[in-house]
Amino acid sequence: FITWIPGTASSERASALIEQSHIGGVIITEHNIESHQQARELIGELQRMAQAASPAIPLFIATDQEGGTVTRVRLPELTLFPAPFHQGKHADTDYVEAAAYVTGVELRRLGVNMNLAPLLDLYGDADGTVINDRSYGINSGLIAEFARAYVRGADRAGIVAVAKHFPGHGRADADSHDVLPVTPPVDDLRNLDLIPWRALPEGTAVMVGHLNVPGLTGGLPASLSAAAITDLLRAELGFDGLVITDDLSMGAVAGVTDVARAAVQSLGAGADLLMVGSIEEVVPSAWALIGALDEGIVGMGRLDEAVGRGFVLRGVDPCGL
């Protein structure tokens, strides 16, 4: 699981999540940040807790540093880039790579090792969709080039880039924070929205969105759908890296099932790292997964595969645990 924690300093709640619930990561937001030094100390303490746990596995420390409105860490020491749409107007992959590199270097100095960016969703200027200027634009071929450039920059900075929101939120009809959006049919996505998702560089992670794709997900969110994750993303598009869900506490999932059942279904569908924004739901979701494993609803091989992909990105040797 990857989740948020309250406050600007370590707490008993954070300690319990790390040392007892064995979460795999923490997402840092503006609510956790007061100063550069404070943020470094908080993140350092979280990692120390993880190293003191048994087994000792370092955390993914993630944030949303997309540029523009979605910039969670705003400090004088950090460079603030414009929204991706305005970066994309330059049609310059060197600019995108440089922005990803600078952003990554500055986040690494804080202790962040994962950036929930870039967006591969499509957006036409003033088209009224919910993604808006968080997207690089409407040209799927150019977005594919930007995606590869972004990953190169992030990789040089030593930070994991997370491409989102598969299979494409840009032309969906609603905001997944509130309800389950419907995208164009899957064959339509193949001709346009899926182009940037083909041949992502190694070391990239992918966030799967809560999107109902006609002809693919059967009314489920893609984040809970084996047809979306295992069949489309992995088998058809050839992606073998870490798959992260969008927040399973969001309204798009709540209209379908509860968080604990969603966690079980998502892991079974092929997701590796489960994002749960409501920390009260982490422990019940963990117990639901344990129950699903005990009952054979989810196989241990699926869990091992998910954990193994996390080890690869962390640079952890599981044989040493």
Side-chain angles (χ1 to χ4, degrees), residues 233-248:
L233 179 59
R234 296 210 186 278
E236 183 176 330
L237 301 183
F239 181 75
D240 192 40
L242 187 79
V243 170
I244 303 172
T245 69
D246 208 343
D247 180 7
L248 295 174

Side-chain angles (χ1 to χ4, degrees), residues 80-257:
L80 302 182
F81 287 94
F85 184 76
H86 302 292
Q87 296 183 38
K89 283 184 174 179
H90 296 287
D92 185 346
T93 54
D94 289 340
Y95 180 94
V96 172
E97 182 175 346
Y101 174 73
V102 170
T103 298
V105 166
E106 293 176 347
L107 289 176
R108 285 290 295 180
R109 288 174 181 161
L110 286 173
V112 173
N113 54 28
M114 174 179 279
N115 190 12
L116 304 177
L119 270 73
L120 274 58
D121 305 310
L122 306 184
Y123 167 67
D125 194 6
D127 71 0
T129 56
V130 297
I131 292 299
N132 294 320
D133 64 358
R134 296 172 64 195
S135 163
Y136 285 107
I138 195 66
N139 185 323
S140 55
L142 192 55
I143 291 175
E145 293 182 26
F146 288 156
R148 289 189 285 269
Y150 194 99
V151 173
R152 285 196 302 271
D155 187 61
R156 285 173 50 218
I159 196 163
V160 176
V162 180
K164 59 188 185 184
H165 306 82
F166 183 82
H169 203 317
R171 295 194 293 150
D173 66 352
D175 188 340
S176 55
H177 287 88
D178 304 318
V179 297
L180 178 60
V182 179
T183 72
V186 65
D187 286 339
D188 194 353
L189 296 185
R190 282 190 177 96
N191 293 329
L192 189 61
D193 305 66
L194 288 178
I195 291 172
W197 297 96
R198 301 180 187 277
L200 285 171
E202 276 191 44
T204 319
V206 163
M207 180 185 291
V208 178
H210 308 315
L211 302 161
N212 178 13
V213 184
L216 180 70
T217 63
L220 288 173
S223 52
L224 310 186
S225 167
I229 301 173
T230 300
D231 298 342
L232 180 59
L233 179 59
R234 296 210 186 278
E236 183 176 330
L237 301 183
F239 181 75
D240 192 40
L242 187 79
V243 170
I244 303 172
T245 69
D246 208 343
D247 180 7
L248 295 174
S249 307
M250 286 163 58
V253 175
V256 176
T257 188

Side-chain angles (χ1 to χ4, degrees), residues 242 267 270-273 301-311 314:
L242 187 79
L267 182 69
D272 305 310
L273 187 60
R302 171 78 275 272
L303 179 64
D304 290 343
E305 179 183 57
V307 173
R309 289 196 179 102
F311 284 150
R314 289 182 178 95

